[in-house]
């Protein structure tokens, strides 16, 4: 339901483009880790993944389960409520581990919340919580970094500004871009693995934001001291910038080697 809904709504509010790293491998049982900047970005990321033939289980704030009708649908489809700051918070990782064992794709936002900035500009992901690293260590699942940019052009800032952005988006037609990078295997302890995950997602975000000519993405960054290990892909490596047709969509998705993790 979420994937179909996002597939309908996102094109009504703006223009979405998607790229993948040549070594992108969305194998069943993968953890998809995305940066979180806006209330709009989950729909944008889910719509992008749907173009690639993936309908993920989503770890989301438990407050959504209190919304009439929506909560029941989320439960029925296996999405996972996260009770932040609650004794039930760790239970969400148990449910997530079972979903991965069943071969589901799992979408997680390791930042655990939205940035406090009120402007619509892009910025690198904030600090990651350790849940992603602990889940990857526990299950051995590969982590696929997903970078998104442009969602803050729909909703950002205070309540009034967010409503105004949402109402005017169908007229403004802002651009969104999602980049899916090559999988990484998180190594080391929880702290090291968390840093590796953030580095990989930041690289994917930088690629997405650069497609939108966002100034923050074009600022030179120092090379990280360590990086995750890319998993080999079982498919032949395609040439960069080759246009592919996403499964079940009839829309074109560009594979690009620019700046992936």
């Amino acid at each position: 339901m979420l994937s179909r809904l996002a597939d309908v709504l996102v094109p009504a509010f703006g223009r979405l483009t998607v790229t993948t790293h040549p070594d992108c491998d969305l194998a069943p049982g993968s953890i998809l880790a995305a940066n979180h900047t806006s209330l709009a970005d989950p729909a944008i990321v889910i719509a992008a993944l749907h173009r690639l033939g993936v309908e993920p289980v989503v770890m989301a704030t438990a407050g959504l389960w209190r919304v009439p009708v929506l909560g029941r649908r989320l439960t029925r489809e296996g999405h996972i409520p996260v009770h932040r700051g609650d004794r039930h918070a760790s239970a969400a990782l148990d449910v997530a581990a079972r979903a991965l064992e069943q071969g589901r794709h799992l979408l997680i936002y390791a930042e655990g919340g939205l940035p406090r900035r009120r402007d619509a500009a892009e910025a690198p992901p904030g600090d990651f919580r350790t849940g992603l690293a602990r889940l990857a260590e526990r299950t051995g699942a590969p982590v696929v970094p997903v970078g998104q940019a442009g969602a803050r052009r729909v909703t950002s800032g205070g309540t009034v500004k967010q409503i105004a952005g949402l109402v005017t988006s169908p007229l403004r037609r802002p651009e969104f871009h999602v980049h899916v990078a090559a999988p990484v295997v998180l190594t080391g302890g929880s702290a090291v693995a968390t840093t590796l995950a953030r580095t990989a997602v930041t690289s994917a975000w930088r690629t997405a934001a650069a497609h939108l000519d966002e100034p923050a993405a074009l600022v030179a960054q120092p090379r990280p001291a360590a990086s995750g290990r890319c998993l080999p892909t079982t498919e032949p490596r395609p040439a960069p910038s080759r246009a592919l047709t996403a499964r079940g969509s009839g829309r074109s998705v560009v594979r690009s080697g620019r700046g992936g993790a």
Side-chain angles (χ1 to χ4, degrees):
M1 181 269 294
L2 285 185
S3 294
R4 292 192 298 272
L5 189 61
D7 217 26
V8 171
L9 288 179
V10 170
F13 285 88
R15 294 166 290 169
L16 171 62
T17 51
V18 182
T19 52
T20 64
H21 189 278
D23 290 331
C24 173
D25 184 8
L26 293 168
S30 296
I31 301 172
L32 312 174
N35 61 309
H36 197 17
T37 63
S38 163
L39 292 174
D41 67 61
I44 291 170
V45 169
I46 290 171
L49 293 173
H50 197 215
R51 292 190 183 187
L52 299 174
V54 172
E55 296 183 357
V57 168
V58 183
M59 296 186 73
T61 179
L64 294 176
W65 272 254
R66 293 193 290 270
V67 178
V69 180
L70 177 62
R72 290 195 299 273
R73 292 298 299 268
L74 292 174
T75 299
R76 185 184 309 166
E77 296 184 8
H79 300 291
I80 303 169
V82 179
H83 300 266
R84 296 191 182 98
D86 185 275
R87 62 187 178 86
H88 299 293
S90 60
L93 293 182
D94 296 334
V95 180
R98 288 196 294 270
L100 291 169
E101 291 169 359
Q102 295 166 1
R104 301 293 301 273
H105 294 89
L106 178 76
L107 177 59
I108 185 171
Y109 290 92
E111 292 164 270
L114 292 169
R116 297 180 181 273
R117 296 181 297 108
R118 302 180 71 84
D119 61 281
E122 290 292 326
D127 293 337
F128 276 20
R129 302 193 180 192
T130 61
L132 168 59
R134 289 186 282 125
L135 182 62
E137 179 181 18
R138 173 177 171 178
T139 62
V143 176
V144 179
V146 178
Q148 63 78 26
R152 291 184 67 82
R153 299 176 180 183
V154 179
T155 57
S156 61
T159 302
V160 173
K161 183 180 178 183
Q162 294 204 41
I163 293 174
L166 194 64
V167 169
T168 60
S169 283
L171 297 176
R172 294 185 288 112
R173 308 291 298 159
E175 292 183 271
F176 319 126
H177 191 87
V178 173
H179 180 73
V180 183
V184 295
V185 174
L186 302 184
T187 56
S190 178
V192 172
T194 298
T195 298
L196 294 178
R198 184 187 178 200
T199 298
V201 174
T202 298
S203 180
W205 160 80
R206 194 172 299 282
T207 298
H211 274 270
L212 303 184
D213 295 324
E214 284 283 351
L218 306 178
V219 176
Q221 296 292 310
R223 182 178 296 275
S227 62
R229 176 167 59 87
C230 288
L231 292 178
T233 178
T234 57
E235 299 179 358
R237 182 186 180 98
S241 300
R242 177 183 175 188
L244 301 177
T245 301
R247 286 180 291 168
S249 70
R251 282 164 291 193
S252 124
V253 179
V254 176
R255 279 188 182 271
S256 169
R258 292 175 51 190

